[in-house]
Structures are given as C-alpha cells and as structure tokens.
Amino acid sequence: MRWTLPLALVAFAEPALAQESTDAAPPAPAAGTVSTAPPEPFQQTIAIGCRFVWECVENEPCTETEFSPDVTGTAGGASADALAVQSQMVSDAETVTLTGTKQDKALSLTGGGFDARHLLSIAADGASRYTVHYADGPIAISYLGTCK
C-alpha cells in the first residue's frame, strides 16, 4: 500500500506535465498565410538638412568647416512620444545607415561599422553634434552645428 499512493500521483502528474509543454508552443499559421506585425499607429517621414560649422579632431583645437549632410528615413512607434527611427545620412563623403529614437523634435541616431561608429544628436531646438569614432588610431572627430 505504501507504494500505491506515490505511483498513483506520478501516473496523474505525468500527463499534465506533457500537456503543459505542448500548450506552450504557438499554433502554426495556416498554409499560404503570412504573419506580419500590424503597422505602427504613429509614423513620420524624416527629412533633415544639417549644417555643421565647427570640426573638432581629437585633442586639436576646433576649426571652422562647411559640412552639410542630409538625413532621410522613417520613424514609427506605438506612441508619438517615442518613435524608433531608421534613416540614412548622406554626405559628399559617404552614406551611413543610422538607427535610433525620436522624442518630440529631438533625435539620437547611431550606426556605421566597426571601423567607424557614427553618433548624431539633435536637440529639440536644432542644435546638433555629429561624432565619428574611428577604430584606426583610435580617433574621434566631432562636428557642431544645426539640423532642421
């Protein structure tokens, strides 16, 4: 009799555990259907022109410059307060894919490869800083100006 109760409990417990593991898997989509996420309720087109007037290379004094890249892309999210951004920054030197966030009129974008990491920060009033960190060296170059 001593073994009957524990054996009975094991017999009843095993099917329940097996059933839990099969219920956890999501059902497979029907043949021929495509599963997609619904579109974000808040979407915006990004089209920004920047004008940087100061260039600061590592430990050297800043010098005047004329660097004017354009940033284009899209922003979207569940709330207008914080949007995810996918964009490209195009300049005479190169085109860089940047991702990040947009809050009101402020943006924080980053991208590039291991050899050169890019960070673009745009304040709500348009004041901007663009920095490139190069692995070779290493060296950092910053640009100060405005983006609108």
Side-chain angles (χ1 to χ4, degrees), residues 27-133:
T33 62
V34 177
S35 176
T36 59
E40 298 291 350
F42 296 93
Q43 295 189 7
Q44 294 178 352
T45 299
I46 304 291
I48 299 170
C50 295
R51 183 170 179 261
F52 295 104
V53 294
W54 291 102
E55 178 182 68
C56 308
V57 178
E58 200 69 24
N59 292 326
E60 299 174 15
C62 296
T63 59
E64 289 187 40
T65 191
E66 289 186 28
F67 179 54
S68 300
D70 292 317
V71 179
T72 59
T74 58
S79 162
D81 297 334
L83 303 175
V85 177
Q86 178 69 37
S87 64
Q88 287 193 325
M89 185 174 71
V90 179
S91 70
D92 292 338
E94 64 184 321
T95 298
V96 180
T97 298
L98 301 172
T99 59
T101 58
K102 180 177 186 288
Q103 294 181 356
D104 298 317
K105 293 182 180 185
L107 279 120
S108 177
L109 304 172
T110 186
F114 178 80
D115 57 334
R117 295 298 300 164
H118 302 255
L119 174 62
L120 175 62
S121 301
I122 304 173
D125 66 358
S128 304
R129 177 180 296 255
Y130 168 58
T131 304
V132 184
H133 291 242

Side-chain angles (χ1 to χ4, degrees), residues 13-27:
E14 278 189 62
L17 291 174
Q19 186 172 355
E20 285 178 6
S21 65
T22 59
D23 287 345

